Structure formats: structure tokens, C-alpha cells
Amino acid sequence: MKQIFKLLFLIIPFSVISQNVSNSPYSRFGFGELQSSYSAIQSGMGEVGIAINSPVGINTINPASYAFVHKQRFTMQAGLSHQTNLMEAGGVSQVVNTSKFNYLKMGFPVTRWWGSSFGLLPFSETAYSFNDSNTDPDATYSFNGNGGLSRFYFGNGFRPIKNLSIGVNVNYLFGSIETNREVLFSDPSYLNTKANEETIINGLHYDFGFIYTQALKDWRINLGLTYDNGSSLDAERNLFTQTFRVVNFNQVLEDTIQFIQLEEGQLVLPTSIGYGFSLVNDKWSIAAEYDTKNWSEFELFGANDNLQNSSKLSVGAQFIPEIKAINKYHKIVRYRLGFYNTQTFLNLNNQSIDQYALTFGLGLPLRKSGALLNLSAQVGRRGITDYNLIQDSFVNFKVGFVLSDIWFIKRKFD
């Protein structure tokens, strides 16, 4: 357990001091960009998770997998990520680098047929800043936003019968999003306008999962299903609109034209469903899955941003040459490869914004500690430069640790 506490002391301060320095104009829609809750293991395998029930990792995508956690072991997973984005639009490009805390998960058995997990994950992120001077030649429009939602979850997985497991995550979503809009006129006789809006969101959210497993000669086949029935979260909004003049490059306030404090409303999340299967033996883990989300149901204070339903197809594989090899380290390394293609919830200028990526990963056992160091990389693209849109090419790296220790067993020494 000492190793687990040491890693906690390293991860928690980083998650507190890490700052959002990204700039993604696409995050201005909805309640921001959805953040990946995939571990470094899953990120290297095309972000599969619906039909994964390995006892090595904690799989929050399907809570039914908690029923397969190591017996008499407390497991912790933690990860960090770094992403480099190249955004291009209208012949102009920008490179943005972002490093941040990615996930912290704990898993433990309760009985032989019951496993639990809890942790902290990012849920969404809003981070954009851009100007628009093409809409009106006499004015410049500025938009920026920051913030996001986090997810604290507590999940349980059960095996009521030998081959079937079911599970549920109880998630508490919380956070705030701040947006600022400014209109600056070229004629100094006109009053400029700026609007500051802060939205505070919190509430409970649930997702469910099922996994059916069956032996097939030397293989085991797993069939997975996940379901999210959507939720309504509490939302409060503060809106402050003012007029101002620019004097010696400084803003001088003229008047407050709108002030709304603690306006109450709802954030309605979309329902979703996912299907997956995996084939597993001593050397191979091969998985594929497909999921959809009904973003047409989304609402925030009654507005839905004209979001479209999204879908995602993922495939991935892991290969271990010889899991019990003693003297040849390269044979116990986990080699991972995958691919995913997503139709996002954005449809701009009658063009669907799609995202795809090729993924790679390694699982490196640390023999002395018994831990597993996981590395993953994703190379992908979102959007296009045509139709006055933004093309976002990205490389994402994740570093994750899996630590586990025996508990509730009294050690004896001679």
C-alpha cells in the first residue's frame, strides 16, 4: 500500500495546480468538449471498453466489469496526458499544447461476486478564445470561454450468475463554465458591449452496464452492453451585460444594461447506448464496439445548440507474447493497437464534424514493485478546412500506472 500512497501524493498536487491552456473553438458548443475517461490501457486500444472485463485495469466505461476486479486486492489507477493540437482555418494555423491530470480510480472486491470502484475523472472542458471581424466591417466580435465539469463516481458490479455481470455507476457531476462576449466598434462614438455569463452545474447522473462471458475452446468471448438514460442536472446562471468605451487602451464602464443573478434552470444530458464484444486468450485481447448518443435531447436553459446525434466505432487489440516468461522481458510487455472513428455532435455549415485516430500503446510491467506502467499515443484529426471550418490535427500521449496490493491478509514472518 505504500506505493499507492506515494503515487497519490504525486498525482493529487498535479491535478490541483494544472491549468487549462488549450484553445479549441469547437468547445463553445453544448457544455464543452467531452473529455476522455479512457485509461492509458484503453487509449492504446482504440478506446474500447464496453466488453472489457480484465482484472488488471479499472474499466469505468462498463461498470459491470467491476465484478471481475482482483480478489483480495486493492487496485489504483492514475494517469496524466499531454496533447498537441495543430488548428488550421483560412490559411492560418496555431499550435496548442495542453498537459493535465487525466484520471484517478480505485477498485476493490467486496465479495466473490461483488466489486466496487470510485474515483475522479474529467467530464467536459470549455476553452476557447477567438475574434470575428468578418461579420461586420465596423466592429470586432470577441469570444472566449473557460471551465468545465468534473465527475466523481462510485460504481458497483455484481455477478448474480456465473456468466453474467451487471453494474451501475452513480456519478456526481460538478463544475462551472464562464463565457465572455464582446463587441468593439471602430467608431469611438459608439458604445461597446460586453457580456459575462457564468453557469454553475451539479447533480447526479447514472449509467449502467452488462457483460456476458462464455468459454469457447481456448478463447473467452465477452458480449457487453452499456446504457445511459440521461439525467437532468441543476444549473444556475449569472449574466452581467455592460457598455463601455476604450480610453487610452483601457475599458471605461458606462452602464449596466442587464444583470441576472442565480437564474435557475436545467442541463439535460442525452441518452446513450453501446454494444461491444471481445475475444480473449492467454496472448490476445481483441475488441470492437459501437455506441450512439441522442444529443438532440440535450438542453441547457431550454437551448439545444442544434446538436446532432453522435456515434462512435472503435476496434482494438492487445498482444502479450508470453505472459509467464521469466528471463525475456520483451515477451511480457503488452503491445496495443487500435482505431476509432467518431461522428461528433457538431454539424456546422451543413457539415458533420467527424474525428478519427490511430492509437498505439505499451504495457510495461515493473518487476520489483509489481506495478504496470502504461503508455499510449493517438494520432488523429477532427474537422476540415473547407466550408469556413477548422481542422484540428492532434497527437495525444497518456502515461498511466496500475498499482495493486493484497489487503485483509495478515502476513507471517519466520
Side-chain angles (χ1 to χ4, degrees):
M1 293 292 285
K2 291 182 179 180
Q3 297 170 358
I4 292 178
F5 287 120
K6 286 180 180 178
L7 189 57
L8 280 173
F9 281 117
L10 291 174
I11 293 294
I12 292 177
F14 182 89
S15 66
V16 172
I17 66 174
S18 61
Q19 297 182 349
N20 184 350
V21 295
S22 62
N23 182 12
S24 175
Y26 286 133
S27 69
R28 67 175 293 204
F29 300 96
F31 53 90
E33 291 184 340
L34 296 181
Q35 295 299 291
S36 168
S37 59
Y38 298 97
S39 68
I41 297 174
Q42 297 164 315
S43 294
M45 296 177 62
E47 298 190 343
V48 293
I50 293 178
I52 301 295
N53 59 358
S54 170
V56 176
I58 302 169
N59 175 21
T60 57
I61 305 303
N62 190 334
S65 64
Y66 306 149
F68 297 86
V69 297
H70 269 304
K71 301 302 178 283
Q72 295 182 322
R73 279 187 175 270
F74 183 90
T75 301
M76 189 190 81
Q77 274 187 259
L80 308 173
S81 68
H82 174 84
Q83 184 160 304
T84 298
N85 297 73
L86 171 62
M87 288 177 288
E88 301 172 273
V92 179
S93 63
Q94 179 184 15
V95 176
V96 178
N97 290 285
T98 310
S99 298
K100 55 191 171 185
F101 160 77
N102 200 242
Y103 56 88
L104 180 62
K105 312 174 187 180
M106 314 284 183
F108 55 93
V110 180
T111 67
R112 290 185 176 182
W113 48 269
W114 175 9
S116 294
S117 177
F118 65 93
L120 180 65
L121 307 168
F123 190 75
S124 73
E125 180 182 72
T126 298
Y128 61 86
S129 179
F130 62 94
N131 297 328
D132 180 8
S133 58
N134 297 322
T135 303
D136 185 348
D138 297 322
T140 298
Y141 295 79
S142 299
F143 306 88
N144 63 78
N146 62 82
L149 303 182
S150 297
R151 167 190 172 195
F152 177 82
Y153 78 93
F154 176 64
N156 290 274
F158 310 92
R159 276 197 281 182
I161 58 177
K162 181 179 179 181
N163 294 337
L164 177 67
S165 61
I166 59 177
V168 57
N169 281 323
V170 179
N171 310 285
Y172 178 67
L173 303 184
F174 61 97
S176 64
I177 300 170
E178 183 177 347
T179 60
N180 301 285
R181 301 180 298 276
E182 187 174 287
V183 183
L184 186 64
F185 293 98
S186 56
D187 188 338
S189 64
Y190 289 177
L191 289 178
N192 308 300
T193 306
K194 64 178 180 180
N196 301 319
E197 182 179 308
E198 182 187 25
T199 303
I200 303 169
I201 299 169
N202 64 82
L204 293 177
H205 170 59
Y206 307 89
D207 62 277
F208 308 88
F210 307 84
I211 295 179
Y212 178 80
T213 182
Q214 180 66 54
L216 187 65
K217 294 186 178 180
D218 295 333
W219 293 81
R220 187 179 77 251
I221 183 170
N222 301 308
L223 302 177
L225 173 69
T226 56
Y227 177 69
D228 185 335
N229 65 346
S231 298
S232 294
L233 309 181
D234 293 329
E236 292 182 344
R237 179 167 59 181
N238 298 319
L239 181 61
F240 201 42
T241 305
Q242 298 173 306
T243 57
F244 66 94
R245 297 185 187 275
V246 177
V247 179
N248 295 327
F249 302 101
N250 294 316
Q251 292 186 1
V252 178
L253 297 180
E254 291 285 339
D255 193 12
T256 298
I257 58 178
Q258 187 179 28
F259 178 49
I260 300 176
Q261 186 177 20
L262 297 180
E263 177 189 9
E264 295 185 352
Q266 296 287 318
L267 166 63
V268 180
L269 296 175
T271 59
S272 65
I273 190 167
Y275 313 88
F277 79 93
S278 64
L279 291 170
V280 181
N281 64 14
D282 293 337
K283 293 186 176 183
W284 286 97
S285 295
I286 303 169
E289 63 189 49
Y290 178 78
D291 70 81
T292 61
K293 291 182 173 62
N294 297 320
W295 284 97
S296 58
E297 302 169 345
F298 165 81
E299 284 187 4
L300 179 58
F301 289 97
N304 62 15
D305 271 356
N306 294 319
L307 304 183
Q308 68 176 5
N309 295 338
S310 66
S311 62
K312 181 179 181 181
L313 175 65
S314 304
V315 293
Q318 173 181 271
F319 175 67
I320 309 173
E322 189 176 346
I323 189 64
K324 296 182 179 179
I326 299 176
N327 298 321
K328 296 181 179 180
Y329 182 78
H330 68 279
K331 288 192 174 182
I332 62 173
V333 172
R334 283 81 167 159
Y335 301 92
R336 302 175 181 129
L337 181 67
F339 173 83
Y340 70 81
N341 185 73
T342 303
Q343 177 182 288
T344 72
F345 55 62
L346 295 177
N347 189 300
L348 306 175
N349 298 338
N350 294 319
Q351 298 297 314
S352 177
I353 306 300
D354 297 337
Q355 176 174 320
Y356 63 88
L358 185 63
T359 70
F360 313 87
L362 292 174
L364 306 174
L366 306 180
R367 287 177 168 174
K368 291 185 178 181
S369 64
L372 183 64
L373 171 64
N374 295 292
L375 307 174
S376 70
Q378 298 185 347
V379 181
R381 179 173 293 174
R382 175 179 55 172
I384 56 177
T385 55
D386 298 332
Y387 306 100
N388 295 319
L389 297 175
I390 299 172
Q391 179 176 283
D392 180 10
S393 302
F394 62 88
V395 180
N396 180 279
F397 301 97
K398 283 186 182 179
V399 179
F401 296 89
V402 179
L403 301 178
S404 65
D405 202 358
I406 298 174
W407 66 344
F408 298 146
I409 291 182
K410 184 177 181 180
R411 290 182 171 84
K412 296 182 180 180
F413 299 91
D414 295 330

